[in-house]
DNA sequence: CTAGGACCTTCCGTCGCGGCAGGTTCAAGC
DNA sequence: GCTTGAACCTGCCGCGACGGAAGGTCCTAG
């Protein structure tokens, strides 16, 4: 019968045999030994590792937990906790699940953003690489300035709009910024009908981001003032691209006054 | 007017100013310098970095691309390619998107598996930690043995069934294996009605995995033989858990002959 | 007895920095 | 001009989970 807790008898395996059988590499097994996660119970006189059946059982557990995405440290702790405390295990797996969910959200955001940018490239809307990079810079500035100060407001709006709407808006900014920048650079008059249409879209998007609980006009002014403050605070003397953004906002202001 | 390509005139910024303005850390900027991604154009006589406007522009591009999840090496290469080759950029972003999609699939799988395991724990179906670990080991062995030899077949079935169905099946294995293992250990007679029901579920699941283009009986035999070969090949003398799996399969065989 | 494969330890590399040690320099106030 | 504290410099170790190589020892089949 089985003698539990003793390995006086029974087969021993070399590290290579264990590796071939378990699908792990010899190097990984030695690493587990190094960090104390799984060391061979015995050594031969010459120092070769001899794994016992108990070791093999532990290895299979390690591998199973690693396949679930746990770190080696977490695995060590959960295997140390009475070799299988289900409550600790449940907590760990739950935490792992939370982490994965957060990760999934992040990936979703990035995926959406990349789709938007690729569409812009493929749509031949942006033949100029420099312009494209500038747009990227703008979005970067735009997002970081908002995530620093107005994260809470954005979070509230996000729950109302649904996060997809926010993401969609973000990628729509790309094209909008690009077109308006071109007009700023070209010095297109602010009462140009095309410009007015773009400004209209801008304000629509902006009002979606800011709290428009009061009246609409005050909101737009507030949005603009927010930008002023942000650029002053963030880009203390920096010319790029906060400065370009400021130019763009000034241009927008003039366009609104002209309309 | 702007003098492009020359920075003889214009403001210079220290590394701290750049860091505060861009939201990056001083350490990160020095790292970018170290790896040659972004070095300050000039140095003071004493060695302090002096960043020019060109550097700042490059930094913003780096930050934007990093926010899209690109590696610093990729960023360096795409910024080196004529400072903005849109085709190269498009390729990189596309590759990035592919990577993210693959990542999302992986996360989805892990999430599903974790949900299944947590349900089993919470459902009080598994009061014994050791039994739970054993189940984990089984699933691990099961999956690795299938991913090595029959990956193509599985892939074909996956596209037919839809990946969710395959995932659902995988987590259903957990409970099935656990219950059957208990019967094997307890020595429940193979003609027990409960055991027969479990075997029925097992075969149903298995037939979903294997190609059942021919007749059903041959499929089951083939599935079983596959297991035999796998355990022989993989666990050459290993007692655990391939051996337990072999016992389980033998038990299944006897149950089928009894039925 | 010999050959070649399996095994051993030790160290360096990954990726994107964080953080510290130990030294120099800058800018403001006196 | 002097002091002082903040900012800057280089250089090194650390992280996680190993991969890979160097240089040596051991095992086993023929």
């Amino acid at each position: 019968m089985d003698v539990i807790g003793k390995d006086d008898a029974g087969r021993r395996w070399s590290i290579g045999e264990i590796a071939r059988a378990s699908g792990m590499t010899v190097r990984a097994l030695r690493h587990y030994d190094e960090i104390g996660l799984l060391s061979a119970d015995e050594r031969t006189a010459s120092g070769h590792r001899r794994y016992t059946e108990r070791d093999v059982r532990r290895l299979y557990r390690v591998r199973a937990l690693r396949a679930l995405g746990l770190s080696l440290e977490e695995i060590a702790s959960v295997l140390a906790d009475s070799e299988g405390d289900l409550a600790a295990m449940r907590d760990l797996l739950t935490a792992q699940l939370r982490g994965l969910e957060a990760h999934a959200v992040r990936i979703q955001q990035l995926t959406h953003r990349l789709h938007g940018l690729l569409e812009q490239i493929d749509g031949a809307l942006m033949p100029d690489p420099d312009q494209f990079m500038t747009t990227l810079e703008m979005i970067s500035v735009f997002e970081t300035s908002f995530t620093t100060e107005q994260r809470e407001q954005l979070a509230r709006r996000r729950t109302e709009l649904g996060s997809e709407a926010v993401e969609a808006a973000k990628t729509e900014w790309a094209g909008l910024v690009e077109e308006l920048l071109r007009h700023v650079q070209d010095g297109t008059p602010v009462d140009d009908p095309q410009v007015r249409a773009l400004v209209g879209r801008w304000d629509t998007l902006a009002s979606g981001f800011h709290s428009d609980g009061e009246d609409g006009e005050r909101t737009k002014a507030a949005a603009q003032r927010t930008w002023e403050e942000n650029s002053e605070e963030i880009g203390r003397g920096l010319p790029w691209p906060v400065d370009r953004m400021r130019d763009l906002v000034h241009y927008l202001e003039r366009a609104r006054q002209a309309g």
Side-chain angles (χ1 to χ4, degrees), chain A:
Chain A
M1 300 301 169
D2 287 349
V3 179
I4 299 181
K6 289 196 178 190
D7 277 302
D8 300 349
R11 205 149 135 40
R12 303 295 133 109
W13 295 269
S14 75
I15 194 171
E17 289 170 324
I18 298 282
R20 275 193 302 277
S22 69
M24 318 219 34
T25 66
V26 169
R27 187 64 186 79
L29 292 175
R30 278 203 270 254
H31 179 60
Y32 294 166
D33 192 349
E34 244 182 65
I35 65 176
L37 173 60
L38 171 67
S39 30
D41 235 21
E42 306 172 359
R43 296 279 188 131
T44 66
S46 59
H48 286 197
R49 277 165 255 256
R50 299 276 98 181
Y51 289 88
T52 67
E53 177 173 333
R54 200 167 57 216
D55 297 329
V56 177
R57 288 181 54 180
R58 189 173 169 93
L59 171 58
Y60 272 104
R61 296 176 178 208
V62 167
R63 193 182 63 164
L65 292 172
R66 214 196 49 138
L68 291 175
L70 302 187
S71 74
L72 297 187
E73 195 179 352
E74 290 169 325
I75 294 174
S77 81
V78 80
L79 287 188
D81 274 1
S82 71
E83 269 283 333
D85 181 357
L86 262 199
M89 174 78 83
R90 213 200 82 93
D91 289 351
L92 237 183
L93 295 188
T94 304
Q96 181 69 9
L97 198 52
R98 297 268 168 276
L100 282 185
E101 281 164 1
H103 211 113
V105 169
R106 174 109 182 97
I107 285 185
Q108 189 72 8
Q109 288 176 348
L110 277 184
T111 300
H112 192 275
R113 212 161 302 181
L114 281 171
H115 267 304
L117 291 172
L118 280 174
E119 269 174 24
Q120 293 221 341
I121 292 181
D122 289 343
L125 289 175
M126 217 175 295
D128 184 8
D130 236 31
Q131 201 76 29
F132 179 73
M133 298 303 303
T134 305
T135 304
L136 269 186
E137 295 160 15
M138 290 285 182
I139 297 176
S140 169
V141 170
F142 182 81
E143 289 181 2
T144 53
S145 67
F146 267 97
T147 49
T148 49
E149 289 215 3
Q150 308 197 308
R151 194 176 271 272
E152 303 164 17
Q153 271 203 3
L154 258 185
R156 280 201 296 273
R157 293 297 297 170
R158 207 181 293 264
T159 55
E160 294 173 25
L161 292 175
S163 58
E164 340 79 51
V166 176
E167 285 304 313
K170 274 182 185 172
T171 52
E172 201 180 341
W173 279 107
L176 206 49
V177 165
E178 190 261 340
E179 290 190 63
L180 276 168
L181 261 184
R182 197 130 59 192
H183 286 296
V184 171
Q185 230 168 3
D186 295 351
T188 310
V190 290
D191 55 355
D192 184 281
Q194 286 194 356
V195 171
R196 289 223 235 174
L198 291 175
V199 172
R201 281 174 58 201
W202 176 289
D203 287 338
T204 305
L205 274 178
S207 67
F209 274 100
H210 293 275
S211 68
D212 45 5
E214 325 234 321
D215 49 345
E217 295 309 311
R218 282 176 68 85
T219 298
K220 289 174 188 169
Q224 185 191 315
R225 210 169 32 238
T226 299
W227 259 113
E228 295 283 341
E229 292 165 9
N230 277 343
S231 23
E232 207 116 22
E233 188 185 337
I234 292 176
R236 210 188 299 275
L238 275 181
W240 191 274
V242 180
D243 229 38
R244 294 277 194 275
M245 203 57 142
R246 194 151 44 199
D247 290 349
L248 206 161
V249 173
H250 283 151
Y251 185 80
L252 283 173
E253 183 184 9
R254 288 193 293 132
R256 288 200 201 90
Q257 285 176 349

